[in-house]
Amino acid sequence: MLRIACPFCGTRDHSEFSYGGDGSVNYPALDAALEAWHDAVFLRDNICGRQVETWQHVHGCRMWLLVERDTMTHEIFSVRPAHAGLATVLEATE
């Protein structure tokens, strides 16, 4: 079972979250060439090991998270808000 430690709600079962995809993708500018968007959306590495993923806590605070997870063991190494401003606010309140 995969359990994700939401920085706002606490540790929850993965069924409360929705997988958003590879969190390491740098998307091109909105007016970038079609080929750049094609590559960003469809060409991905199939990583075996640690990778950063986006997850949304859809049945909780609805926050988008960056989860560093091992794709082979499902071990989670870190969880942080995807929005840098929220991460700063949460760190200031700790």
Side-chain angles (χ1 to χ4, degrees), residues 21-84:
D22 185 346
S24 64
V25 174
N26 292 317
Y27 291 99
L30 291 176
D31 59 350
L34 184 61
E35 293 80 20
W37 274 102
H38 174 272
D39 293 352
V41 172
F42 295 109
L43 301 181
R44 303 283 173 86
D45 293 329
N46 189 12
I47 296 173
C48 179
R50 278 188 179 199
Q51 77 170 8
V52 176
E53 303 168 332
T54 56
W55 289 77
Q56 185 184 23
H57 196 182
V58 292
H59 295 292
C61 62
R62 305 192 62 80
M63 184 184 302
W64 279 96
L65 305 170
L66 293 174
V67 177
E68 185 181 9
R69 182 178 70 92
D70 189 310
T71 59
M72 294 296 293
T73 63
H74 301 296
E75 180 180 359
I76 294 176
F77 300 101
S78 67
V79 180
R80 63 185 188 278
H83 189 280

